[in-house]
Amino acid sequence: MRHRSIPGARGRVRPLTLLGDPVLRARCEDVTDYGPELARLVEDMFATMYAARGVGLAANQVGVPLRVFVYDCPDDDDVRHLGHVVNPTLVAAGGLVLRGPEGCLSLPGLEAGTERYDEAVVEGFTTAGEPVTVRGTGFFARCLQHEADHLDGRVYADRVTGLRGRRLARRVRRAAWSG
């Protein structure tokens, strides 16, 4: 068994950015500096994600407009996927389109059935600048698509349509107004 530190163990919990903050609606900038500040950001993002009991977190959700996300998410077979991606690109999303429950740490207390593909592939880099490809199925594919959306300035509520979408939009407005 390899011994290594737990992601986020040395990180600090940062405040979550909530819907209504413009950083959540803007496309994040590419990372150009793969130094210690990036590694510290990723550690803080893991610490924040764990403190909030999430399965994924994008940098703009802690107010940093950079293209980075972290995840600790199971797939539908309960296999754990743990890691991070810098400058991710969703290169493939396919398979079946499934509607499943989706929530977001930046929209606390809200959840809606959201359509996503059940397969996804993301390419990017590690904090050391090494290329990485992450493949996901089921719930983990949903997570990868959700986090990639964040970095493009989208939230899951943008994907909910029809009557469900209108109801969710009202709840989002009420939550933003009371927050």
Side-chain angles (χ1 to χ4, degrees), residues 81-143:
H81 299 271
L82 172 68
H84 68 276
V85 186
V86 177
N87 293 335
T89 301
L90 182 64
V91 295
L96 299 174
V97 175
L98 301 175
R99 180 179 298 142
E102 200 161 324
C104 180
L105 298 176
S106 292
L107 286 82
L110 300 177
E111 184 180 281
T114 307
E115 291 184 351
R116 299 276 189 186
Y117 288 102
D118 72 339
E119 298 173 2
V121 179
V122 171
E123 292 179 348
F125 301 89
T126 66
T127 56
E130 298 169 3
V132 63
T133 299
V134 182
R135 299 177 194 284
T137 59
F139 185 68
F140 183 47
R142 176 177 297 278
C143 176

Side-chain angles (χ1 to χ4, degrees), residues 11-165:
R12 70 177 172 85
V13 176
R14 296 186 184 202
L16 287 170
T17 303
L18 301 179
L19 189 64
D21 190 312
V23 74
L24 287 177
R25 290 305 195 170
R27 185 179 191 284
C28 294
E29 299 293 320
D30 286 340
V31 170
T32 57
D33 182 1
Y34 286 81
E37 287 183 29
L38 177 61
R40 201 167 14 262
L41 170 63
V42 167
E43 278 291 303
D44 289 355
M45 289 171 62
F46 271 113
T48 304
M49 178 184 70
Y50 290 140
R53 302 177 74 175
V55 296
L57 187 73
N60 58 347
Q61 291 184 272
V62 292
V64 179
L66 291 175
R67 296 188 70 77
V68 180
F69 69 74
V70 300
Y71 57 88
D72 188 346
C73 183
D75 60 24
D76 288 354
D77 294 322
D78 211 25
V79 174
R80 180 185 187 193
H81 299 271
L82 172 68
H84 68 276
V85 186
V86 177
N87 293 335
T89 301
L90 182 64
V91 295
L96 299 174
V97 175
L98 301 175
R99 180 179 298 142
E102 200 161 324
C104 180
L105 298 176
S106 292
L107 286 82
L110 300 177
E111 184 180 281
T114 307
E115 291 184 351
R116 299 276 189 186
Y117 288 102
D118 72 339
E119 298 173 2
V121 179
V122 171
E123 292 179 348
F125 301 89
T126 66
T127 56
E130 298 169 3
V132 63
T133 299
V134 182
R135 299 177 194 284
T137 59
F139 185 68
F140 183 47
R142 176 177 297 278
C143 176
L144 293 173
Q145 293 166 80
H146 179 108
E147 300 311 329
D149 270 357
H150 269 303
L151 301 180
D152 289 332
R154 296 184 72 172
V155 295
Y156 81 92
D158 299 336
R159 294 190 174 273
V160 181
T161 59
L163 179 59
R164 290 177 310 110

